[in-house]
Structures are given as structure tokens and as C-alpha cells.
């Protein structure tokens, strides 16, 4: 939505929503915790994403905080350098507490944009309208399909 997998500002705008969803999932939503997530997103998170990637203990602390806020496993957060736009977390409903993180590739259309219009215009569609019916000729009386000729 905000190009959160490419731009620091987009990622910072998305982070509070992900944090709120994680809090709600644990039935622990709290306005103060949400405010902390918003402050972190538009402060340290944004400036860190905009700069060089953190290293060492700074990286561990930074990526760990994002993982704790969002529920995205820390290895996924680290691999994406803190950008979460193309990641999501699927939590098992089986009650096992198992978490599986999935990467979603960028949306790609099989037909290049410049060819979509011409392809659509020349390709028959299953939703095409039927050919119009011929009007009755002046020598042929009109009929009502329900009652037959008059």
C-alpha cells in the first residue's frame, strides 16, 4: 500500500498498523503501547531504515524490537532489513503456537502494461455480449415469443 517494502517512509507508515494487529491478536491492545509503536515508527525505525543497515548488537536490538512489535519472526525481519511490506505472518489456528512467515513476491502481471490494452481488445472474452438480434422485416409480422404470432 505505502510501498513499504521499498521506501523507509512507507514502511514507517505501515508499522503502527502491524503493531496494532499483533496487539489485537493477543487481545492486548493498549493505547499507550500503540503510541509507543507510532513514536518508534516515525523516529528510530524511519531513520534507521533511511540510513545504512545496522550491524552487530545494534542490528540485533533493532530487528528484535520490530519482531516483538509485529509478530514477524526476527530472521524474516533481519533478512528484509526491517522492511515488512512484502512479509506477513500466518498464525496457526491449531493452538500449537506455531508461527509460519511467508514472503510474498511483488505483484507481476504476465502481460506487460503496454500490451494489455491491445491484447484485451483483440482477445475474445467469455463475457462478450451476444450479437444483436435482427429487427423484424416490414413484411414479417412481429411476434411475441411468449404467445407466438398474432
Amino acid at each position: 500500500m505505502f510501498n513499504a517494502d521499498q521506501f523507509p517512509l512507507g514502511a514507517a507508515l505501515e508499522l503502527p498498523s502491524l503493531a496494532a494487529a499483533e496487539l489485537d491478536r493477543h487481545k492486548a491492545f493498549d493505547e499507550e503501547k500503540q503510541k509507543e509503536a507510532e513514536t518508534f515508527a516515525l523516529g528510530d525505525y524511519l531513520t534507521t531504515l533511511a540510513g545504512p543497515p545496522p550491524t552487530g548488537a545494534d542490528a540485533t536490538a533493532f530487528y528484535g524490537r520490530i519482531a516483538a512489535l509485529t509478530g514477524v519472526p526476527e530472521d524474516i525481519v533481519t533478512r528484509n532489513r526491517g522492511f515488512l511490506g512484502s512479509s506477513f505472518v500466518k498464525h496457526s489456528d491449531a493452538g500449537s503456537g506455531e508461527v509460519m512467515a511467508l514472503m510474498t513476491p511483488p505483484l507481476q502481471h504476465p502481460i506487460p502494461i503496454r500490451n494489455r490494452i491491445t491484447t484485451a481488445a483483440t482477445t475474445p472474452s467469455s463475457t462478450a455480449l451476444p450479437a444483436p438480434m435482427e429487427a423484424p422485416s416490414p413484411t414479417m409480422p412481429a411476434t411475441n415469443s411468449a404467445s407466438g404470432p398474432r
Side-chain angles (χ1 to χ4, degrees):
M1 176 193 276
F2 296 112
N3 288 327
D5 56 345
Q6 300 173 6
F7 300 108
L9 182 58
L13 293 172
E14 180 186 65
L15 187 68
S17 296
L18 297 175
E22 179 66 4
L23 288 169
D24 187 60
R25 190 179 74 77
H26 290 288
K27 298 185 182 0
F29 185 84
D30 175 85
E31 286 186 35
E32 188 60 35
K33 289 179 184 176
Q34 183 62 34
K35 187 162 182 69
E36 288 173 17
E38 291 169 0
T39 301
F40 171 68
L42 295 176
D44 291 341
Y45 181 69
L46 175 59
T47 57
T48 301
L49 291 183
T55 58
D58 291 339
T60 302
F62 179 69
Y63 299 136
R65 184 166 184 191
I66 297 166
L69 281 171
T70 64
V72 176
E74 191 171 342
D75 63 322
I76 300 295
V77 174
T78 302
R79 187 176 339 150
N80 292 317
R81 215 198 95 195
F83 289 92
L84 304 175
S86 59
S87 300
F88 67 93
V89 177
K90 180 178 177 182
H91 299 276
S92 170
D93 291 332
S96 67
E98 186 176 298
V99 176
M100 181 173 76
L102 303 172
M103 296 298 296
T104 56
L107 181 63
Q108 294 182 3
H109 196 281
I111 303 172
I113 291 173
R114 66 187 178 307
N115 293 336
R116 286 186 202 163
I117 295 171
T118 57
T119 302
T122 59
T123 304
S125 171
S126 62
T127 59
L129 296 175
M133 297 182 66
E134 284 188 36
S137 67
T139 59
M140 179 181 206
T143 60
N144 181 338
S145 62
S147 62
R150 292 187 183 210

